[in-house]
Amino acid sequence: MQDAPLVQPRPAISWQRMAMTAAGVAGAVVFIEGMLNRETRDQLSPAEQSLLHDTFKYTGGGLVLTALAARGMFKSGVAYRIMAANPWLVLGVSLVGGIGTMMGVFYTPPEKSIQKHLFWLGFNACQAATLSPLFFFSPAILSRAALYTVGIVGSLSYVGATARNDKYLNLGGPLLAGITVVALSSLAPMALPLGVRGLAVTEAISLYGGLALFGGFVLYDTQKILHHARLAQQGLMKRDPMNEAISLELDMINIFIRLVQILAMQNNRK
């Protein structure tokens, strides 16, 4: 008698663990606020509150559209074709499409609302195509990574919003230098013949270094939004929450991707 094939069930979502994680995130917000913001700023002005609120509305809307589109692409088989394609081709197409639509959003003035929203939808579609292969991971891993991402970004955004004016804006230069290192460490295995130890080092830099780096970008981008709100109030620039949302959305996507990879690695070790 032939043995039946063994099918490994996907791990179920533990709502108790989710609740404990949410409580831990709330505690972490209080701790981080106390550590990083010993001197807090004055209360946000109405202009700062308005731009921050509208920016997070576009960020949340973009992420919801990206998730739904990525899920649809996965179910339709687009993710399989992406995984089977040449990695350099996928990288090139995703870079051209993502950067092109992002530049379209940035350089379209707010007055041209329809054109700007079309570029914004195109940007989210490009992100969805890039993220659709993540649905090969179990729903438990994706749910935990999403919850952790919201907790990390929410806490760091709160810290950035309550910190003294421009406290974290001087992080721009070091963060740009760091993203170059992380990008090179991500591309190195595709271009260079690295040994096992070299692969482990580049993977650690890409995952954990990238996680810390994009956490820093959340602080920087939150304070940049408030700075732009003050400039717009003075008439020195146009108020544009969609442009601000693109940066935060990219921060969240990069944090989410790395958390999925880290959780998957931990799950494989069990």
Side-chain angles (χ1 to χ4, degrees):
M1 181 177 178
Q2 189 176 9
D3 294 337
L6 295 176
V7 178
Q8 184 178 4
R10 288 186 171 185
I13 299 175
S14 173
W15 295 109
Q16 183 180 5
R17 179 179 291 180
M18 293 288 190
M20 292 176 62
T21 302
V25 168
V29 172
V30 176
F31 176 76
I32 294 173
E33 171 71 9
M35 289 296 295
L36 296 182
N37 282 353
R38 297 175 187 272
E39 298 179 14
T40 57
R41 53 168 292 140
D42 296 331
Q43 188 175 4
L44 295 178
S45 68
E48 291 171 327
Q49 290 180 4
S50 176
L51 184 57
L52 197 63
H53 181 259
D54 290 345
T55 297
F56 273 98
K57 282 200 302 185
Y58 273 111
T59 302
L63 291 171
V64 169
L65 289 174
T66 297
L68 293 176
R71 180 64 177 172
M73 291 177 183
F74 176 77
K75 287 186 173 182
S76 66
V78 172
Y80 292 92
R81 291 192 287 273
I82 291 175
M83 295 290 287
N86 185 309
W88 288 107
L89 177 62
V90 173
L91 179 64
V93 172
S94 62
L95 280 176
V96 171
I99 293 175
T101 51
M102 181 175 65
M103 290 298 104
V105 174
F106 285 161
Y107 289 105
T108 301
E111 295 80 15
K112 298 182 178 180
S113 178
I114 295 177
Q115 178 180 326
K116 196 173 184 70
H117 278 82
L118 288 175
F119 276 122
W120 180 71
L121 290 173
F123 170 78
N124 287 290
C126 291
Q127 302 310 306
T130 304
L131 295 176
S132 60
L134 290 179
F135 281 95
F136 284 109
F137 291 99
S138 72
I141 289 177
L142 296 179
S143 300
R144 287 175 62 194
L147 180 61
Y148 295 164
T149 301
V150 171
I152 291 171
V153 174
S155 60
L156 290 176
S157 296
Y158 177 75
V159 170
T162 55
R164 288 181 292 105
N165 287 346
D166 305 340
K167 179 177 180 180
Y168 298 112
L169 284 181
N170 58 356
L171 293 177
L175 289 173
L176 288 177
I179 203 170
T180 303
V181 175
V182 170
L184 290 176
S185 66
S186 301
L187 296 175
M190 301 174 65
L192 300 175
L194 300 175
V196 175
R197 183 171 297 180
L199 287 173
V201 171
T202 57
E203 184 180 48
I205 293 174
S206 177
L207 288 181
Y208 299 100
L211 191 60
L213 178 74
F214 286 102
F217 267 113
V218 173
L219 286 171
Y220 171 79
D221 288 331
T222 302
Q223 288 228 309
K224 182 167 62 95
I225 293 168
L226 301 179
H227 179 66
H228 287 172
R230 294 191 294 272
L231 293 180
Q233 191 176 24
Q234 297 168 15
L236 300 177
M237 67 176 295
K238 294 181 179 179
R239 183 181 182 278
D240 198 337
M242 196 181 296
N243 282 11
E244 311 291 351
I246 292 290
S247 299
L248 275 178
E249 189 173 341
L250 287 174
D251 296 339
M252 293 187 72
I253 287 173
N254 278 283
I255 290 172
F256 174 73
I257 290 173
R258 283 161 175 80
L259 287 174
V260 169
Q261 293 174 295
I262 291 170
L263 291 174
M265 289 167 56
Q266 293 177 349
N267 188 62
N268 291 335
R269 295 193 188 106
K270 293 180 180 180

